[in-house]
Amino acid sequence: MATLRDLAAAVGVSVTTVSNVLNGRPNVGSDIRKRVLRAAKKLGYRPNLAAQAMRTGRTRAIGLVLPDLTNPFFPELAQAVENTARSAGLLVCLIDSQGKTEGEADGFSLLMQHAVDGVIWCPLGPTAPATLKNFSKPVVLIDRPRQGYDVVQSDYAMGGRLLAEYAVRMGHTSVGLLSGPERIESARQRRDGFIGARPRELKVAWEVGVGFDGMLTREAVAALTRRRSATLIICGNDLIAISAIRCLSEHGIRVPEDVSITGFDNIRWTELVTPRLTTIAQPIAAIGAKAVELMRERMSGEPLVSRRTIFDVALVERDSVRRLPPR
Amino acid sequence: MATLRDLAAAVGVSVTTVSNVLNGRPNVGSDIRKRVLRAAKKLGYRPNLAAQAMRTGRTRAIGLVLPDLTNPFFPELAQAVENTARSAGLLVCLIDSQGKTEGEADGFSLLMQHAVDGVIWCPLGPTAPATLKNFSKPVVLIDRPRQGYDVVQSDYAMGGRLLAEYAVRMGHTSVGLLSGPERIESARQRRDGFIGARPRELKVAWEVGVGFDGMLTREAVAALTRRRSATLIICGNDLIAISAIRCLSEHGIRVPEDVSITGFDNIRWTELVTPRLTTIAQPIAAIGAKAVELMRERMSGEPLVSRRTIFDVALVERDSVRRLPPR
DNA sequence: TCCGCCAAGTGAAACGTTACACTACACAGC
DNA sequence: GCTGTGTAGTGTAACGTTTCACTTGGCGGA
């Protein structure tokens, strides 16, 4: 691989001058500038990132720390993050903690050792790994806000409102809640958004919390199959909703004929399952792209106040909710 | 961050000695060794990877180049790769080409610039990016073999055999094929495995090729809905199968009552859709782990012949295939 | 006693960049 | 003719590691 020194020798100038040209610094005559650029192209010069990193402390790589690629929300996100990062010349280093806090901690320490320039992070729970304390690079949060950090997420209160309105519009008066985990901020926001926006006449017959991974607890199965008064089940995300449909169908309960269901996220699978899932769409790709954008601003030393970017969500009506006849 | 020099000063030995201790080299007395280790722990020393990379040319990072995270096969794979890599102290740098060859090329050049120690790659098509020519680090292929490279994949011939046997066992005599893309080696292997293993009395009524992403072409939809003689549809992967089920159900054709369907891969969704999908299971996580293992062997300069690791597959019988009454 | 050998440890030069302090020269202003 | 200023370009010291060649002292063998 050609080095700065090679270029310098080829053109007949000093290494410093070559470096100055390549970094667009002033005080280089235009002919020399041209000759250096030509030589660089001809010799196929690519800066040695390791050397650069060592000198400057910047690596042009960012970390992406996710809880679980098995939940289809995250691959979609990762894809968006990787693609927009790459078009900005940034490499994305992936950590999948598989839902384990120590995985998250390991991941962060690996990323720190590699001196990534920043981390885009969807936190597992409320407690941050200890190693994060002495991580001086920018961190942008996805989906789950936390004091003192930039975050980009969707307007979950709006999602809750949309769901509540829709429920009454479709004639439902009693719902069951299959919420996401209590300890996850965004799960609470979804739940509270709905609870708060719901008019008095819309009752919550029961509520049980499950993981975002869609694994149904015994309690959840019981709630689903006991056939209490709820005619509509509001799920914390699409994965939960789809698992619930599956569970119901195994117990001979039909959706939406016997009970209606909604999801949240609008992952691709909502269109592929039967019945197609009515859900709240969040702009996953836009969220990923925005996170990279915020990251880049931070990396170039932008504003020091923490910012939150909130995207609108929308109701996507499909086949999993039945309109109830007026009584 | 503490450096070797700091440690040397703290212990009162030379930098070289500290380096020797940390790299487990001989010719260091056991007391000095202990004192260095103690100091390293106390000062929280972590080697500066950039400096190390610059000296040695190794980065302790590997690339993972995938076609499309949106296909659930790949997140599962990525998760396995990342986790086993991390437990070997390797960082995984992700590239998602989104099915575009130029994305693949960009990705490789980014990885090369970052001097990753190797790449685990699931190639998009038969042609490799030009930049790959002068990539001197090890490459191990996943799922799609190619002359001169290590590869790890499943035994697709076996899968085809299993499918063929199963089809006749269930009384089917005429099948339709919704194969994966012709240009992808592993798609051909699946198809050819089935075609080759099938007994004479099992007819192929029709065949159409579609993308592994499950997007059904007009031609595919026509084949599915025209209700020709086929009683069983063999799909190139689960995503295609699930899309097909969806498409059929939109046209009022029931699975498995009217027509049966099989998938391939055994992604998690096969259990969540209705009907649950009968499919061929491949050990996705094991494939990912094995790829990392091969990579590590190559990185430490192991055998120079290219090796292929083939995993057995298994039939997973669920609800999407109907047993036909004997005529 | 001397030689040679081995283990334990050291010094310094690289790796490819960047950044600082410097020189050389031209030209304007007085 | 001198000083001051600005432009174009150079030399060199870092950054933190690894590695090669080297020194030192102790000890066994003849």
Side-chain angles (χ1 to χ4, degrees), chain B residues 10-251:
Chain B
V11 179
V13 295
S14 75
V15 174
T16 303
T17 299
V18 177
S19 171
N20 285 339
V21 170
L22 264 21
N23 293 303
R25 271 185 269 273
N27 291 346
V28 183
S30 65
D31 48 337
I32 288 210
R33 188 175 295 273
K34 254 180 268 168
R35 280 161 58 204
V36 167
L37 259 16
R38 192 133 25 92
K41 180 159 296 178
K42 185 167 145 217
L43 301 192
Y45 171 79
R46 319 229 68 180
N48 179 323
L49 245 29
Q52 220 160 256
M54 175 160 163
R55 231 6 282 247
T56 63
R58 346 194 66 221
T59 52
R60 303 179 156 287
I62 62 176
L64 175 63
V65 181
L66 301 178
D68 179 16
L69 275 179
T70 261
N71 176 339
F73 176 81
F74 293 113
E76 259 185 72
L77 181 74
Q79 190 175 59
V81 167
E82 196 278 322
N83 276 268
T84 88
R86 174 148 45 83
S87 61
L90 294 172
L91 188 63
V92 169
C93 303
L94 178 74
I95 301 291
D96 176 338
S97 62
Q98 293 211 23
K100 297 196 260 293
T101 21
E102 71 270 24
E104 219 173 32
D106 286 358
F108 266 106
S109 89
L110 192 57
L111 289 173
M112 283 171 64
Q113 199 175 140
H114 278 264
V116 294
D117 290 340
V119 172
I120 294 178
W121 179 30
C122 180
L124 213 46
T127 58
T131 57
L132 191 58
K133 293 293 167 218
N134 37 16
F135 182 63
S136 52
K137 305 291 178 58
V139 172
V140 356
L141 261 30
I142 292 224
D143 190 68
R144 303 169 188 183
R146 180 182 296 241
Q147 200 54 251
Y149 288 99
D150 283 359
V151 63
V152 12
Q153 65 169 165
S154 294
D155 190 338
Y156 291 132
M158 178 177 177
R161 218 161 48 238
L162 256 24
L163 247 18
E165 285 166 12
Y166 183 65
V168 315
R169 182 147 33 97
M170 295 298 273
H172 293 267
T173 55
S174 172
V175 301
L177 255 39
L178 220 42
S179 318
E182 181 72 30
R183 83 189 129 69
I184 294 182
E185 169 74 14
S186 64
R188 286 200 303 276
Q189 290 180 353
R190 293 171 187 204
R191 171 192 179 283
D192 297 348
F194 175 81
I195 299 269
R198 157 199 62 123
R200 190 166 298 109
E201 65 270 22
L202 184 55
K203 305 291 180 211
V204 174
W206 53 264
E207 168 170 14
V208 356
V210 296
F212 268 159
D213 61 1
M215 297 302 179
L216 299 184
T217 56
R218 185 196 305 272
E219 191 190 357
V221 175
L224 281 173
T225 55
R226 209 178 298 133
R227 303 293 304 279
R228 297 212 248 138
S229 56
T231 54
L232 167 65
I233 298 168
I234 307 272
C235 298
N237 72 6
D238 291 336
L239 207 40
I240 296 175
I242 292 172
S243 301
I245 292 179
R246 179 78 229 144
C247 167
L248 290 167
S249 111
E250 270 161 23
H251 287 81

Side-chain angles (χ1 to χ4, degrees), chain A residues 8-324:
Chain A
V11 178
V13 295
S14 75
V15 176
T16 302
T17 299
V18 177
S19 171
N20 285 338
V21 170
L22 264 19
N23 293 303
R25 271 185 270 273
N27 291 346
V28 183
S30 65
D31 48 336
I32 288 208
R33 187 176 297 272
K34 254 179 270 168
R35 280 161 57 203
V36 167
L37 258 18
R38 191 133 26 92
K41 180 161 295 176
K42 183 167 148 221
L43 301 191
Y45 172 78
R46 320 229 69 182
N48 179 324
L49 244 30
Q52 220 159 258
M54 177 162 163
R55 233 5 287 244
T56 64
R58 347 193 67 222
T59 51
R60 303 177 155 286
I62 62 176
L64 175 63
V65 181
L66 300 178
D68 180 16
L69 274 178
T70 262
N71 176 339
F73 177 82
F74 292 113
E76 259 184 73
L77 182 75
Q79 191 175 58
V81 166
E82 196 277 324
N83 275 267
T84 87
R86 174 147 46 82
S87 60
L90 293 172
L91 187 63
V92 169
C93 304
L94 179 73
I95 302 290
D96 177 335
S97 61
Q98 295 211 26
K100 297 197 259 293
T101 21
E102 71 270 24
E104 220 173 32
D106 287 358
F108 266 105
S109 89
L110 192 57
L111 290 172
M112 284 173 63
Q113 196 172 146
H114 278 263
V116 294
D117 290 341
V119 172
I120 294 179
W121 179 31
C122 181
L124 213 45
T127 58
T131 57
L132 191 58
K133 292 294 167 217
N134 37 15
F135 182 63
S136 52
K137 306 291 178 56
V139 173
V140 172
L141 261 30
I142 292 224
D143 190 66
R144 304 171 187 182
R146 182 183 294 239
Q147 200 53 250
Y149 288 100
D150 283 0
V151 64
V152 13
Q153 65 168 167
S154 294
D155 190 339
Y156 291 132
M158 178 179 177
R161 215 159 51 237
L162 257 25
L163 247 17
E165 284 166 12
Y166 183 65
V168 314
R169 183 146 33 95
M170 296 298 272
H172 292 268
T173 55
S174 173
V175 302
L177 256 40
L178 220 42
S179 319
E182 181 72 29
R183 83 190 129 67
I184 294 182
E185 170 73 15
S186 65
R188 285 199 304 275
Q189 290 180 354
R190 292 171 188 205
R191 171 192 179 281
D192 296 348
F194 175 80
I195 298 269
R198 151 200 68 120
R200 192 166 298 110
E201 64 270 23
L202 186 55
K203 303 295 180 209
V204 174
W206 53 264
E207 167 170 13
V208 355
V210 297
F212 268 161
D213 61 0
M215 298 302 178
L216 299 184
T217 56
R218 185 196 303 272
E219 190 191 358
V221 174
L224 281 171
T225 55
R226 208 178 298 134
R227 303 292 304 278
R228 297 213 247 140
S229 56
T231 54
L232 168 64
I233 297 167
I234 308 271
C235 298
N237 73 5
D238 291 336
L239 206 39
I240 297 174
I242 293 172
S243 302
I245 292 180
R246 180 74 232 147
C247 167
L248 290 167
S249 111
E250 272 162 19
H251 286 81
I253 304 171
R254 291 160 309 161
V255 176
E257 292 79 359
D258 299 328
V259 62
S260 298
I261 279 209
T262 62
F264 207 115
D265 283 349
N266 196 33
I267 62 177
R268 182 176 168 201
W269 293 89
T270 50
E271 301 210 83
L272 256 22
V273 295
T274 306
R276 289 156 62 242
L277 191 66
T278 292
T279 191
I280 299 289
Q282 44 171 333
I284 306 184
I287 290 174
K290 184 68 185 182
V292 174
E293 192 189 310
L294 289 185
M295 182 89 266
R296 299 220 297 145
E297 288 175 8
R298 286 263 167 204
M299 280 165 52
S300 50
E302 292 285 305
L304 289 174
V305 304
S306 61
R307 298 156 295 176
R308 42 180 43 188
T309 306
I310 312 278
F311 283 92
D312 278 359
V313 298
L315 179 77
V316 179
E317 192 174 351
R318 289 195 269 248
D319 315 328
S320 64
V321 174
R322 175 170 162 234
R323 157 161 276 127
L324 256 34

